Each structure stands twice: as structure tokens, then as C-alpha cells.
């Protein structure tokens, strides 16, 4: 994982990323974390108490046993801690797949 600086205009560009209702607001921190997709999936597996290397990125959230209101709060905290992003709960609950959760991180996830 690496750190990069961001400009304040990024939050406005992020708002246009993907579906309009799936965008988080960036906090005013000096740097944000960039991570690989497999590292992000590992964090989600830990959050959902899943076996390692279970998630591939195309799973439907409602089909995952651990995806509940507590996991939503945990995901919001994960985005704040790792990416300095404030993602509203309605935005997270609108996501239907792991891929949509990944999209919330925008360019902070390397392909």
C-alpha cells in the first residue's frame, strides 16, 4: 500500500464516478491510501468473517452471510480509515455487489 496526496477537487470528480448514488465524499486529509484490489478484498473478507481468498469481486452482497447492518457500519469505518472517505450509509446500502463497493473507492484501488 502506498500514500498519495490529493487535491480538494477530487471529491467533485469522484461524484461523477460510476453510478451517481455510489460516490463517497473525500475528507480534507493530506494523503490517502492506494491499495491493490486483492488487498481490499482481503479487508472485506476480514470484515465479513470469511475464509481468505473467498471473494473474487463479483459476488452479490445479499448472498453473503456476513453482509448485514453491522457489516455496513464496518465498511463505512474501513473506507474512512484506509481512504479518508466519508461514505454515507444510504450509499453503501444501495450497493448490490462487491464490485460496487470497490467502485466506491474510485482510483484508490489499483486494478
Amino acid at each position: 500500500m502506498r500514500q498519495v496526496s490529493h487535491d480538494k477537487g477530487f471529491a467533485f470528480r469522484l461524484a461523477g464516478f460510476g453510478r451517481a448514488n455510489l460516490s463517497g465524499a473525500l475528507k480534507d486529509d493530506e494523503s490517502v491510501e492506494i491499495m491493490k484490489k486483492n488487498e481490499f478484498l482481503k479487508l472485506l473478507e476480514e470484515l465479513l468473517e470469511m475464509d481468505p481468498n473467498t471473494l473474487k469481486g463479483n459476488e452479490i452482497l445479499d448472498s453473503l452471510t456476513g453482509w448485514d447492518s453491522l457489516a455496513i457500519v464496518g465498511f463505512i469505518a474501513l473506507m474512512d480509515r484506509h481512504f479518508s472517505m466519508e461514505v454515507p450509509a444510504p450509499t453503501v446500502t444501495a450497493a448490490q455487489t462487491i464490485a460496487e463497493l470497490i467502485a466506491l473507492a474510485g482510483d484508490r484501488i489499483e486494478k
Side-chain angles (χ1 to χ4, degrees):
M1 290 178 266
R2 60 188 168 100
Q3 300 285 322
V4 295
S5 296
H6 73 273
D7 62 295
K8 294 187 188 293
F10 179 81
F12 298 109
R13 290 193 304 276
L14 181 63
F17 181 84
R19 295 185 351 196
N21 65 338
L22 290 178
S23 61
L26 187 65
K27 290 168 56 176
D28 289 332
D29 292 338
E30 292 182 10
S31 65
V32 293
E33 190 171 324
I34 302 293
M35 84 174 45
K36 296 181 188 271
K37 181 180 173 183
N38 65 334
E39 294 171 325
F40 188 72
L41 291 175
K42 181 179 178 183
L43 289 174
L44 291 177
E45 289 167 347
E46 290 172 8
L47 175 69
L48 299 171
E49 299 179 352
M50 299 176 77
D51 292 332
N53 303 313
T54 302
L55 294 176
K56 303 301 178 211
N58 58 351
E59 293 82 5
I60 296 175
L61 294 171
D62 286 341
S63 71
L64 302 175
T65 305
W67 186 251
D68 56 17
S69 59
L70 203 54
I72 291 169
V73 172
F75 180 80
I76 292 168
L78 181 150
M79 295 295 282
D80 183 34
R81 182 177 353 143
H82 290 280
F83 303 118
S84 298
M85 294 180 72
E86 294 177 351
V87 182
T91 301
V92 179
T93 58
Q96 297 179 0
T97 65
I98 292 290
E100 289 178 349
L101 293 181
I102 292 169
L104 290 176
D107 62 358
R108 288 164 178 75
I109 303 290
E110 292 180 351
K111 304 299 181 226

